[in-house]
Amino acid sequence: MASVTLEVEVPSQFPAERVFKVFSDFDNIAPKVNPQVFKSIETVEGNGDVGTIKIFTFGDAVPFATGKYKVDALDASNYSYSYSFIEGDNLFGILSSINHHVKVVPSPDGGSVFKQTVVYSCKGDEKPSEEILKKEKELYENTYKAIEAYAVAHPETY
């Protein structure tokens, strides 16, 4: 079974603790800052901890409508979070899952680096195209930047 890995890194002026706190509120912020991609995110099972199941409803800016996601690991003290998309048309009919591992790494200057590793696990030999991977990477980077801008505009919350 083939897989494809995508690496995303976005530097931030904010400390890792603040970036992780903002990212932890992704379900609420993403539909506000990027509604053309994230129409809604609904928790259908669990309370946000490991094993929680969420349903993503995507917007018109992406070529898919829904995805079911499961929280695989959560370690707030190390600013890391892992989750997998396990069902939905966002798997393009060729993927068994899309695994995401997010880690916010403190920088020596007091800021941090948002790192996201995405592993596309293929059912067979067919892999997502380079064009899809490029668009996905841009989507992750732009979403992160929009979420960070939201946090800057709402300092009382984040």
Side-chain angles (χ1 to χ4, degrees):
M1 185 165 50
S3 69
V4 178
T5 301
L6 185 66
E7 300 282 348
V8 178
E9 286 194 17
V10 184
S12 174
Q13 66 188 31
F14 298 109
E17 183 178 353
R18 185 170 180 200
V19 171
F20 191 78
K21 181 179 181 184
V22 172
F23 187 80
S24 297
D25 202 20
F26 186 90
D27 298 9
N28 294 319
I29 300 173
K32 292 176 185 170
V33 300
N34 208 347
Q36 62 275 27
V37 174
F38 304 101
K39 202 175 278 185
S40 68
I41 303 169
E42 178 189 0
T43 299
V44 292
E45 185 181 312
N47 62 359
D49 290 336
V50 173
T52 295
I53 305 285
K54 300 180 183 189
I55 302 291
F56 276 56
T57 302
F58 296 102
D60 297 335
V62 292
F64 38 81
T66 62
K68 183 187 255 187
Y69 140 141
K70 180 178 169 215
V71 177
D72 298 322
L74 176 59
D75 184 350
S77 62
N78 285 307
Y79 315 118
S80 69
Y81 183 76
S82 297
Y83 60 95
S84 300
F85 278 100
I86 52 174
E87 284 178 25
D89 60 349
N90 66 324
L91 298 177
F92 303 109
I94 62 169
L95 302 171
S96 55
S97 65
I98 305 172
N99 305 87
H100 296 253
H101 180 70
V102 172
K103 175 116 174 102
V104 184
V105 180
S107 301
D109 64 2
S112 59
V113 180
F114 176 87
K115 295 184 175 190
Q116 184 171 8
T117 302
V118 186
V119 179
Y120 299 84
S121 298
C122 306
K123 290 180 182 177
D125 293 332
E126 191 178 353
K127 298 178 181 177
S129 70
E130 288 300 317
E131 183 183 349
I132 286 174
L133 295 174
K134 183 175 181 261
K135 285 183 178 177
E136 291 259 306
K137 185 171 184 171
E138 287 172 5
L139 175 99
Y140 298 135
E141 290 169 347
N142 292 340
T143 298
Y144 173 79
K145 290 172 185 168
I147 287 173
E148 185 176 79
Y150 182 88
V152 169
H154 299 84
E156 69 287 349
T157 308
Y158 305 102

